[in-house]
Amino acid sequence: MASNTSEQLRAELKSLADTLEEVLQTSTDKPKAELDKLRGKAESLLKDTRERLSNTGDKIATQTKEIAGKADDYVHEKPWTGVGIGAAVGVVIGVLLARR
């Protein structure tokens, strides 16, 4: 689900960038009516992309809160397992930092 959404956003951002690039490259070669059409397309794509990014940000925030809640419940149910996981993560991070 998240991968599909990120691929859609990536495609929309690429389409927006391509449209804006076309507007910038051909602004002197095209008649005003065609430039207005390209500008309208770019504005529409920008609006849609902003809306989708906002919605995706909201979904990510909601999912993060749910995951944090589940992690909190898990740690309360099995505190020693949580301590062990935390210690293991700390050791891994320490080893990675020491290698730098």
Side-chain angles (χ1 to χ4, degrees):
M1 182 173 118
S3 176
N4 189 23
T5 302
S6 65
E7 289 300 320
Q8 288 176 340
L9 281 173
R10 191 172 289 123
E12 285 184 24
L13 289 171
K14 183 181 179 337
S15 177
L16 176 61
D18 291 345
T19 302
L20 291 174
E21 186 176 356
E22 184 180 351
V23 168
L24 291 173
Q25 288 178 349
T26 62
S27 62
T28 58
D29 300 341
K30 296 195 180 216
K32 183 173 178 3
E34 200 168 334
L35 283 175
D36 288 343
K37 182 180 172 185
L38 283 171
R39 187 175 292 119
K41 180 180 174 184
E43 288 173 353
S44 175
L45 284 169
L46 181 60
K47 179 183 173 193
D48 292 345
T49 302
R50 279 185 179 162
E51 184 176 320
R52 186 170 300 248
L53 284 171
S54 175
N55 292 340
T56 301
D58 293 343
K59 286 179 186 177
I60 290 171
T62 301
Q63 289 174 347
T64 302
K65 287 178 185 176
E66 288 175 9
I67 291 169
K70 289 177 183 178
D72 186 53
D73 291 343
Y74 181 81
V75 169
H76 279 91
E77 292 171 10
K78 302 178 182 180
W80 287 110
T81 303
V83 170
I85 291 171
V89 169
V91 168
V92 169
I93 291 174
V95 167
L96 292 174
L97 290 175
R99 287 187 177 183
R100 285 187 164 190

